[in-house]
Amino acid sequence: MAAETPGTDEPAPELDDYDDYRTTDVLVVGSGIAGLAAALGAAREGADVTVATKATRPEGASSWWAQGGIAVSRDDPGQFKDDILAASAGTADSGAVDVLVDEANHAVHDVLVETLDVEFDTNGDDAANEGETEDYDFGREAAHDEPRILHVDAATGKAIHVPFLNYLDDHDAVTIRDDTAALQLVTHEGRVHGALLEHDDDVVPTFAGSTVLATGGIGDLYPRSTNPDGSTGDGIAMAALAGADVEDMEFVQFHPTVFVGTDGDTDEPFLVSEAVRGEGAVLRNGEGERFMPDYHEDAELAPRDVVARAVQKERDATGEVVLDVSDVDFAGDFPGLAEKCENRGVDWQAGIPVGPAEHFLCGGVDVDDRGRASLDRLYAVGECSRTGVHGANRLASTSLLEGLVWGLRAGEDAAGREADVVEAPELLDRDPALPDNFAAEKFVRLRRTMDEYVGLRRHPDDLGRAQAVLRRLKGEVDAYVRTRTSRSLYELRHASVTALLVARAASENDESVGTHNLVEEREREASAD
Ligand code: SIN
């Protein structure tokens, strides 16, 4: 496609290594709620926006999968803040949490209710039309002092994400490029100028006045995760390789109640929302005993990291943990989950077998209260960012909210700059073929390493081992990256860089806090027996 120098009649500059390039005011990489909110924020400021996403369907974004809902401040932002700080074991950044709780009600009302017409569940038939927030059916989840979670059944992500995509698809200022992967950031003299985007094996530099990373989580680094496929930490790795600061990478949150099959090893884990425990479901071990009251005074509604470790411990000791939903109107309140169980042949009335699975990275690209990273013109929002809101452990149903609030703020800030066309890094494609199964085999090694050594419970020696394995793996991948541009290879590169960042951060933090839990040598030996 023909390029033009933005804002002038001058012919576009030639690039040495590429036939084509594109320009846009704001490039957003990723299409979950954070990326879409950034696109909306920038478009509202008059920017021309390109959203590049690997996803080919809405299900490709983690946001689509969110069940529980989106927390709001109701009329007590102070209590919401206290709950976030308590769940994080006092490690969340107080200033960042203030931004979140102060803007929650307005952002949800403005974007989700007024702009996208999302109809959150209410207690009465007419309440949604009247817009009376007190008539919403606020849900309760672990470590929340009061019910404050807006939801649509337990499929809230889908109910937000689909109208959001449709709205931006129809927006004149926004172009959504799906099935399009960002391989590398374009940088020049310490400033970020866009990214190299791959679609259908073609790599096209896309220059941007501002670049917003919204690439989601790191589920592909672990064998069991609630994230969609393709969650390879792309934004974090690209930012880190370009020299941006990343923080809190050791804080990987595991969700305690994921259907993992009776042997703990299904290929298709699915989340059983914390909202089910909020409604009164309890956890029982293989001997039928309810165990959470022995671990925490809030029992099943203790902070997520506490419940996840307890579930794992009881699974190890008694062979199984089930979520007992007999005191819940499961089919009535959670019809989608009941159907999922039935499709997998699970008799939910007898208890749903659950275990922990990787769910959310609390750290990421270090950003300020407008989503600005440490490199000029680079932003990060949503799960790939580290705003400080989550500290060492995230409170339930704050991730959609963080994505929405920071997405809007970053998008607004990112608008107002035009793209500069600079020399783009040359990607060599001298030898495009890869050995069969190259990426798939390396991913198996990477996931096994993360699972064994950098999982729910960690030992310093294991973290050293993990780094050694991951460094070797990254070296092998880098050698291939020098001559090939295949997407799977770049995803593997991003995953191995991100995995190393997690393992390194974990080994540098000798304090057990929140999701980062260090075990003693004796405990490690006992669990290996
Ligand atoms: C859930 O529904 O349990 C997940 C909610 C969240 O991760 O915030």
Side-chain angles (χ1 to χ4, degrees):
M1 104 170 218
E4 286 164 15
T5 302
T8 75
D9 294 332
E10 287 169 29
E14 297 283 319
L15 290 189
D16 287 346
D17 301 310
Y18 295 91
D19 300 334
D20 277 344
Y21 63 87
R22 298 191 183 98
T23 60
T24 185
D25 296 341
V26 177
L27 171 63
V28 178
V29 184
S31 60
I33 190 170
L36 299 184
L40 177 66
R44 282 176 167 178
E45 293 296 309
D48 148 78
V49 182
T50 299
V51 177
T53 173
K54 291 196 292 189
T56 51
R57 296 181 305 152
E59 292 91 313
S62 287
S63 299
W64 191 93
W65 295 92
Q67 292 185 11
I70 183 162
V72 287
S73 294
R74 299 194 68 179
D75 53 7
D76 196 353
Q79 184 59 53
F80 187 15
K81 176 177 181 178
D82 288 349
D83 290 352
I84 292 173
L85 292 174
S88 76
T91 58
D93 177 317
S94 170
V97 179
D98 282 336
V99 171
L100 190 83
V101 301
D102 289 347
E103 299 204 358
N105 292 355
H106 176 70
V108 168
H109 188 73
D110 166 24
V111 177
L112 305 187
V113 178
E114 290 289 313
T115 308
L116 304 180
D117 292 327
V118 175
E119 294 191 356
F120 292 108
D121 287 2
T122 61
N123 291 316
D125 292 343
D126 303 330
N129 296 333
E130 292 168 12
E132 292 173 354
T133 53
E134 58 272 29
D135 285 327
Y136 283 121
D137 173 32
F138 291 104
R140 173 127 198 235
E141 288 181 25
H144 284 271
D145 180 72
E146 63 167 342
R148 62 162 74 90
I149 295 154
L150 291 171
H151 62 100
V152 181
D153 178 16
T156 313
K158 181 175 160 184
I160 292 173
H161 193 234
V162 172
F164 214 159
L165 274 175
N166 291 340
Y167 180 85
L168 291 178
D169 229 3
D170 289 343
H171 200 298
D172 291 343
V174 180
T175 305
I176 301 181
R177 296 189 179 280
D178 60 13
D179 195 9
T180 298
L183 304 186
Q184 190 172 322
L185 293 177
V186 176
T187 56
H188 185 66
E189 295 178 350
R191 177 174 280 176
V192 174
H193 291 275
L196 300 180
L197 299 184
E198 179 272 340
H199 169 74
D200 227 357
D201 293 331
D202 261 357
V203 179
V204 176
T206 296
F207 298 103
S210 303
T211 303
V212 184
L213 299 170
T215 55
I218 61 166
D220 276 19
L221 274 52
Y222 288 87
R224 290 169 303 284
S225 165
T226 58
N227 295 179
D229 288 347
S231 302
T232 43
D234 301 342
I236 297 169
M238 288 190 295
L241 289 169
D245 294 340
V246 296
E247 283 292 335
D248 288 351
M249 290 295 289
E250 68 273 41
F251 299 130
V252 180
Q253 183 174 72
F254 289 76
H255 196 291
T257 55
V258 178
F259 170 73
V260 288
T262 40
D263 60 356
D265 208 15
T266 175
D267 281 342
E268 292 178 67
F270 68 84
L271 183 68
V272 185
S273 175
E274 215 154 89
V276 184
R277 275 176 283 137
E279 288 298 310
V282 297
L283 290 159
R284 296 191 187 282
N285 64 20
E287 279 145 23
E289 286 159 5
R290 184 177 173 209
F291 55 86
M292 273 314 302
D294 296 339
Y295 285 85
H296 196 282
E297 59 183 3
D298 292 333
E300 279 80 4
L301 296 184
R304 198 172 271 178
D305 60 307
V306 175
V307 186
R309 283 193 295 275
V311 167
Q312 189 56 52
K313 203 162 171 193
E314 295 291 326
R315 277 175 65 92
D316 290 345
T318 68
E320 179 180 62
V321 167
V322 298
L323 188 65
D324 175 352
V325 295
S326 46
D327 284 342
V328 177
D329 177 10
F330 191 60
D333 287 345
F334 303 98
L337 281 174
E339 192 185 326
K340 264 190 187 166
C341 287
E342 281 152 20
N343 291 344
R344 301 288 166 80
V346 178
D347 175 10
W348 51 262
Q349 302 186 60
I352 306 165
V354 290
E358 192 281 337
H359 183 58
F360 189 89
L361 175 66
C362 301
V365 181
D366 194 30
V367 297
D368 68 7
D369 64 2
R370 302 235 156 233
R372 291 178 287 225
S374 61
L375 295 180
D376 193 20
R377 300 193 181 187
L378 181 68
Y379 295 75
V381 292
E383 191 172 346
C384 73
S385 71
R386 182 271 184 199
T387 60
V389 158
H390 308 307
N393 182 45
R394 178 175 68 83
L395 180 68
S397 285
T398 53
S399 57
L400 292 176
L401 182 63
E402 183 201 39
L404 178 65
V405 168
W406 255 263
L408 285 173
R409 291 171 73 87
E412 284 161 13
D413 201 85
R417 297 183 194 111
E418 290 181 352
D420 293 323
V421 176
V422 298
E423 204 51 61
E426 186 188 6
L427 292 190
L428 299 174
D429 212 8
R430 279 199 295 258
D431 189 3
L434 274 176
D436 280 352
N437 292 329
F438 176 83
E441 281 167 13
K442 301 273 184 259
F443 260 116
V444 170
R445 176 147 44 114
L446 184 147
R447 289 187 189 114
R448 196 185 313 126
T449 305
M450 294 301 283
D451 191 37
E452 277 177 24
Y453 300 144
V454 202
L456 200 50
R457 315 191 72 214
R458 300 156 176 185
H459 187 276
D461 292 350
D462 291 343
L463 295 170
R465 279 191 195 101
Q467 287 181 83
V469 175
L470 293 167
R471 263 196 297 268
R472 264 199 310 280
L473 192 133
K474 180 175 170 299
E476 291 165 36
V477 177
D478 282 348
Y480 279 94
V481 163
R482 282 193 265 281
T483 57
R484 296 161 177 86
T485 59
S486 116
R487 186 185 299 187
S488 66
L489 187 60
Y490 271 79
E491 287 185 320
L492 178 62
R493 180 195 215 196
H494 295 156
S496 57
V497 169
T498 308
L500 252 179
L501 290 168
V502 174
R504 190 178 304 152
S507 76
E508 285 170 359
N509 186 351
D510 57 12
E511 186 197 354
S512 272
V513 55
T515 54
H516 177 59
N517 191 261
L518 294 164
V519 296
E520 303 284 331
E521 184 69 35
R522 268 177 287 117
E523 269 185 86
R524 186 165 63 120
E525 280 164 8
S527 68
D529 288 343

